[in-house]
Amino acid sequence: MSKKRYIVFVLNLFIGIQYVFADVNDGLMAYSKKDYTKAFNEFEESSSQGDLAATHYLASMYYQGFGISKDLNKAVILFEKSANQGYAPSLANLAVMHAKGKEMEFIKIWIALWNIKAGQLKLVMHNLNFS
């Protein structure tokens, strides 16, 4: 690769990085102004592009119910997504949620109950020859 092409490549890389993080910064600015809808949209867009910080902030919004209906399940999924890729603040939030216990245990119990109901329904359908 020629020196000129290499410089263009590096400049494009940095411009692209700034572009990706611009949405997160816009989201943080909107959040600080309590424009939660705009913040949510900015974080969601950046998260869909693989930005771990945006995924973390999006999870926080689901957890708090800002800009979107409170959804602890979605918050846990998003925190786990970014934590599993090495984003430490998400791991810390999962630890806090686990320490609180009530919300996490409620989710686990709720999921278990629905799995039981689904299993019972499957058994009933099988016994009635609907499977």
Side-chain angles (χ1 to χ4, degrees):
M1 182 182 295
S2 73
K3 188 175 182 179
K4 191 183 250 184
R5 286 184 182 172
Y6 179 76
I7 291 171
V8 169
F9 172 77
V10 170
L11 288 174
N12 283 332
L13 180 64
F14 284 118
I15 290 168
I17 289 171
Q18 290 174 351
Y19 176 74
V20 168
F21 290 111
D23 290 334
V24 174
N25 290 333
D26 290 345
L28 290 171
M29 186 66 79
Y31 187 92
S32 71
K33 293 178 181 177
K34 298 185 181 195
D35 185 353
Y36 299 124
T37 302
K38 181 177 180 182
F40 179 85
N41 291 334
E42 296 292 344
F43 295 146
E44 189 174 45
E45 182 179 339
S46 291
S47 177
S48 71
Q49 296 172 2
D51 189 311
L52 298 179
T55 303
H56 171 80
Y57 294 129
L58 188 61
S60 295
M61 294 190 78
Y62 275 109
Y63 180 76
Q64 297 168 355
F66 292 164
I68 190 77
S69 297
K70 187 172 185 171
D71 186 340
L72 297 178
N73 251 351
K74 186 75 171 172
V76 168
I77 290 167
L78 291 170
F79 279 137
E80 285 179 345
K81 179 180 177 182
S82 56
N84 287 337
Q85 295 180 46
Y87 195 73
S90 288
L91 184 58
N93 280 14
L94 285 170
V96 168
M97 290 173 78
H98 183 69
K100 284 184 176 181
K102 293 178 185 173
E103 294 151 329
M104 294 294 289
E105 290 306 312
F106 174 77
I107 291 170
K108 289 177 186 175
I109 291 167
W110 185 79
I111 289 170
L113 288 174
W114 278 104
N115 284 333
I116 290 167
K117 287 185 178 203
Q120 289 173 344
L121 179 60
K122 189 174 182 180
L123 180 62
V124 168
M125 291 183 71
H126 175 74
N127 289 340
L128 294 174
N129 294 321
F130 285 122
S131 55

